[in-house]
Amino acid sequence: MATTMQDVAERAGVTKQTVSNVITGRVPVRPATAARVRAAIDELAYTPNLVARSLATGTTKTVGLFVPTVASSFYSEVVEEVEDVLERNGYHLLLCTTRLDGERARRQLAGLSSRSVDALLIAGDRDLIDHLPLLAGARFPVVLCAWETEAPDRYPVVTIDYERAGFLAGRHLRELGHRRVAVLASPAHTVRVQGFRRAFAADGLTVADDAVHIAPEPTPEGGFAAASAALAADPGLTAVFATHDVLALGALEAARVLGRSVPDDLSVVGHDDNAEVRLSRPALTTVSIPKRAMARQAVEQLLRAVTASTAPANSLQLLRPELIVRDSTAAAPHRPVTAEA
Amino acid sequence: MATTMQDVAERAGVTKQTVSNVITGRVPVRPATAARVRAAIDELAYTPNLVARSLATGTTKTVGLFVPTVASSFYSEVVEEVEDVLERNGYHLLLCTTRLDGERARRQLAGLSSRSVDALLIAGDRDLIDHLPLLAGARFPVVLCAWETEAPDRYPVVTIDYERAGFLAGRHLRELGHRRVAVLASPAHTVRVQGFRRAFAADGLTVADDAVHIAPEPTPEGGFAAASAALAADPGLTAVFATHDVLALGALEAARVLGRSVPDDLSVVGHDDNAEVRLSRPALTTVSIPKRAMARQAVEQLLRAVTASTAPANSLQLLRPELIVRDSTAAAPHRPVTAEA
DNA sequence: CTGAAAGCGCTTACAG
DNA sequence: CTGAAAGCGCTTACAG
């Protein structure tokens, strides 16, 4: 049915090994022979069976990528960056989105760990962290990225310095003279919060636990609720740090509703520098995280391990975030300075 | 190195065919034997080599999906929906994002058309439309979806009734009494514009060509520019239809800047009902398109073709859009009615 | 530079 | 219900 290497060989009057040689280029072939083979390939519209090649070579030219979702500007950029690098290197992308469903993630991981990928990149610690032991017997390199919680020692990690991201947000607000601040945080963002706290600790200030308001869902609505709660708990607040831009958007809306003008009455700092946020009024001051650079480093490390057929260097690589000052932050309004307890 | 079926067989004291039989379940195996085999599998942590299985069966349990990008709420939902259906059916997803790069798309398509996928779903007509002939010799089913331009007869198409989407937007504005309207359109959205026009034609009204303003980029900035141009060209405008929500967002901003209040002085209708738009003030009236239902229909049709190993039914399936009325549209302000030339 | 042989790890009829 | 054989379509040493 499908035309095979053997068909090409017969047509060109050579054996299939010679056809293989002209295709792979591993072994030199006399130009005249090669030309005949190439002609036969064209005439028969022959295209090699990649599966057979994979079985023979033990390599699939496919890299698996796990992400929690693709419907977020963070992960969609990660996916595109990864795919770019793969495409440029002749690799295919097998995508698994785990969707906050650990059981699903486990199933997918199990279904993959038969030699159907040459390497695996796991972005995001949310769903897969408990199932990593499944990879114990894996014969392909694994790299972790976008990891915020403590990463297992076993695998190389390429991630963002989230602690520093929080710190940059905090330092900015502190330098603007803010002393009464709150944090709107997603449950998993403890490291960002910790960095934020460190920035204030330098001045002997403490961001109290009850100044951290958790937004269960990373949505504007969640940010709105958290910001409303924060402002209700401490009307004297002069600034808030949202650990996710989308929460900051909700905070802007809450300020509007409560009649507090941003940035004069309330400064707002976000985190991520997502594209969606370009629209916000006022333009959001935020901590930009180099997600594309992170993704690139991660796949490149993975690919290097594949081609060298060695384990990737077991290191923790932290990409540096950057503060982007726009219009949602300003100096703290003058009023009696009160350090929080 | 890797443990193989043969290893399991030896350990269980049977031949590898028996191991294969207990794994595939195709041939009944005596319970006692099966138990021994299963024990051996567990002890050796054996996991079958999918590549070898693929070569033997001629099936890869992998479906290829082409999308222009993953960084849009439209396509990211399509990808997730497709992956859901695949996962539920034991298939893997090979993702290719074409990124408005026809040459890249061509390369990816060529690299795939060797038996490495069981089926191919192509979402979006932007990049691949010129390269479809490459698929001429493909031995796997192909389905097209999210197709707005004329689709090739050769392949089944599952898409949105974009003409009707435009029509619904137009009918809504017409019923609200709007007569001087403009369209803000992405270059490829001619079908939506055509449907919009049809709604007005029913009343003998014409939406002139110069009332259609093209936004080259699907960004709020693009919508802002197009809306500004439209309002400059005809200050008497009472409504605009944006063929993409993100353009509508820009139009809202333009109205704000120009001091026209929405919906009292200007009605705005969007298209897509994207999640990003939930934030807009006023809440955007828009045409919702059933992208998930579309994606589901498309993969399911594809999978049916794979399992039946027949070509999918060559049909054009159009999913129905729906108008969602929110706060950005209102009755046209009273003023002398002038039908556009 | 070209050809004959073995093998990658499975599955699939086909005998027993 | 279990085993022996052939084959899926390539690649990889190894002779010539």
Side-chain angles (χ1 to χ4, degrees):
Chain A
M1 27 175 21
T3 108
T4 131
M5 199 170 254
Q6 183 62 42
D7 300 333
V8 174
E10 284 165 12
R11 175 143 198 147
V14 295
T15 64
K16 66 178 197 289
Q17 294 76 349
T18 303
V19 177
S20 176
N21 289 340
V22 353
I23 289 177
T24 62
R26 274 177 39 91
V27 174
V29 173
R30 188 162 13 131
T33 315
R36 273 213 323 288
V37 168
R38 259 184 269 280
I41 289 179
D42 286 349
E43 287 159 18
L44 298 173
Y46 168 71
T47 148
N49 181 327
L50 262 33
V51 172
R53 177 182 294 172
S54 288
L55 183 57
T57 61
T59 159
T60 60
K61 288 286 183 182
T62 301
V63 169
L65 170 63
F66 277 89
V67 289
T69 177
V70 102
S72 94
S73 90
F74 182 85
Y75 288 110
S76 63
E77 288 194 39
V78 168
V79 170
E80 294 202 345
E81 190 68 32
V82 168
E83 202 219 343
D84 274 354
V85 176
L86 292 183
E87 207 267 331
R88 221 173 298 134
N89 288 276
Y91 281 78
H92 290 138
L93 172 66
L94 202 66
L95 182 74
C96 300
T97 68
T98 53
R99 317 287 271 292
L100 300 178
D101 180 344
E103 183 43 36
R104 170 184 172 132
R106 197 198 56 70
R107 263 202 321 276
Q108 293 176 311
L109 197 57
L112 211 88
S113 37
S114 336
R115 248 156 302 159
S116 49
V117 295
D118 290 348
L120 189 58
L121 181 57
I122 300 183
D125 43 19
R126 291 196 270 176
D127 302 325
L128 237 32
I129 192 157
D130 294 334
H131 305 304
L132 258 20
L134 272 177
L135 252 24
R139 288 166 307 279
F140 46 75
V142 176
V143 167
L144 272 24
C145 82
W147 219 262
E148 186 154 359
T149 58
E150 184 118 17
D153 278 350
R154 226 194 119 97
Y155 301 107
V157 178
V158 180
T159 189
I160 305 288
D161 191 341
Y162 287 108
E163 203 273 347
R164 183 163 180 82
F167 177 78
L168 291 178
R171 189 176 67 181
H172 175 58
L173 291 180
R174 198 196 67 205
E175 289 177 352
L176 286 171
H178 294 279
R179 294 296 176 265
R180 291 182 63 171
V181 299
V183 180
L184 318 178
S186 285
H189 293 169
T190 55
V191 173
R192 308 177 196 193
V193 175
Q194 179 183 321
F196 184 78
R197 283 193 152 118
R198 180 164 65 85
F200 282 91
D203 271 9
L205 299 169
T206 306
V207 177
D209 281 350
D210 59 10
V212 177
H213 298 264
I214 299 297
E217 298 295 325
T219 59
E221 290 76 8
F224 182 91
S228 304
L231 256 4
D234 181 2
L237 241 38
T238 66
V240 297
F241 166 48
T243 63
H244 197 134
D245 282 344
V246 86
L247 297 178
L249 246 31
L252 292 180
E253 179 66 12
R256 201 171 303 142
V257 168
L258 296 172
R260 310 218 12 181
S261 120
V262 175
D264 299 331
D265 300 335
L266 187 72
S267 285
V268 176
V269 183
H271 184 289
D272 271 24
D273 196 27
N274 279 340
E276 291 95 294
V277 156
R278 289 199 323 250
L279 301 167
S280 83
R281 306 293 147 182
L284 192 67
T285 292
T286 192
V287 182
S288 166
I289 56 182
K291 35 198 168 207
R292 288 191 174 264
M294 174 195 73
R296 201 175 327 121
Q297 291 296 324
V299 229
E300 285 175 351
Q301 190 174 349
L302 208 48
L303 254 24
R304 250 177 278 132
V306 170
T307 53
S309 58
T310 69
N314 189 353
S315 66
L316 171 63
Q317 186 178 359
L318 294 177
L319 282 284
R320 293 268 171 66
E322 191 187 346
L323 179 75
I324 310 280
V325 178
R326 290 199 274 247
D327 307 330
S328 68
T329 48
H334 285 291
R335 60 170 86 137
V337 170
T338 325
E340 289 260 308
Chain B
M1 30 179 12
T3 108
T4 130
M5 199 171 253
Q6 182 63 42
D7 301 332
V8 175
E10 284 166 11
R11 177 148 198 142
V14 295
T15 63
K16 67 180 197 290
Q17 295 76 349
T18 303
V19 177
S20 176
N21 289 340
V22 352
I23 289 176
T24 62
R26 274 176 41 92
V27 174
V29 173
R30 188 163 11 134
T33 315
R36 271 213 325 286
V37 169
R38 259 184 270 280
I41 288 178
D42 286 349
E43 288 159 17
L44 297 174
Y46 168 71
T47 149
N49 180 326
L50 263 31
V51 173
R53 177 182 292 171
S54 287
L55 183 59
T57 60
T59 159
T60 61
K61 289 285 181 183
T62 300
V63 168
L65 170 62
F66 277 89
V67 289
T69 178
V70 102
S72 94
S73 89
F74 182 85
Y75 288 109
S76 62
E77 287 193 39
V78 167
V79 170
E80 294 202 344
E81 189 69 31
V82 168
E83 201 218 342
D84 274 354
V85 176
L86 292 183
E87 208 267 330
R88 220 172 300 134
N89 288 276
Y91 280 78
H92 290 138
L93 172 66
L94 202 65
L95 182 74
C96 299
T97 67
T98 52
R99 318 287 272 292
L100 301 178
D101 181 345
E103 183 42 37
R104 171 184 171 133
R106 198 198 55 71
R107 264 202 319 276
Q108 292 176 309
L109 197 57
L112 211 88
S113 35
S114 337
R115 247 156 303 158
S116 49
V117 295
D118 289 348
L120 188 59
L121 182 56
I122 300 182
D125 43 19
R126 289 196 270 177
D127 303 325
L128 236 33
I129 192 157
D130 294 335
H131 305 304
L132 258 21
L134 273 177
L135 252 25
R139 288 166 305 279
F140 46 75
V142 176
V143 167
L144 272 23
C145 82
W147 219 262
E148 187 154 0
T149 58
E150 184 117 16
D153 278 351
R154 226 194 121 96
Y155 301 107
V157 177
V158 181
T159 189
I160 306 288
D161 191 342
Y162 288 107
E163 204 274 346
R164 185 164 178 83
F167 177 79
L168 291 177
R171 189 176 67 182
H172 175 59
L173 292 179
R174 198 197 67 205
E175 289 176 353
L176 286 171
H178 294 278
R179 294 297 176 266
R180 291 179 68 168
V181 300
V183 179
L184 318 178
S186 286
H189 293 168
T190 55
V191 172
R192 308 176 196 195
V193 175
Q194 178 183 322
F196 184 78
R197 283 193 153 119
R198 180 165 65 86
F200 282 90
D203 271 8
L205 299 170
T206 306
V207 177
D209 282 349
D210 59 10
V212 178
H213 298 263
I214 300 297
E217 297 296 325
T219 59
E221 291 75 9
F224 182 91
S228 304
L231 255 5
D234 181 2
L237 240 39
T238 66
V240 298
F241 166 48
T243 63
H244 197 134
D245 282 344
V246 85
L247 298 178
L249 246 32
L252 293 180
E253 178 66 12
R256 200 172 303 143
V257 167
L258 296 172
R260 311 221 7 184
S261 118
V262 175
D264 299 331
D265 300 334
L266 186 72
S267 285
V268 177
V269 183
H271 183 289
D272 271 24
D273 195 27
N274 279 340
E276 291 96 294
V277 155
R278 289 199 321 250
L279 302 167
S280 83
R281 308 289 147 185
L284 192 68
T285 292
T286 192
V287 182
S288 165
I289 56 183
K291 36 197 165 207
R292 288 190 174 266
M294 175 195 73
R296 201 176 326 120
Q297 292 296 324
V299 229
E300 284 174 352
Q301 190 173 349
L302 208 48
L303 254 25
R304 250 177 278 133
V306 170
T307 53
S309 58
T310 69
N314 189 352
S315 66
L316 171 63
Q317 185 178 359
L318 293 177
L319 282 285
R320 294 269 171 65
E322 192 186 346
L323 179 75
I324 311 280
V325 178
R326 291 199 272 248
D327 308 329
S328 67
T329 47
H334 285 292
R335 61 169 86 137
V337 170
T338 324
E340 289 261 309

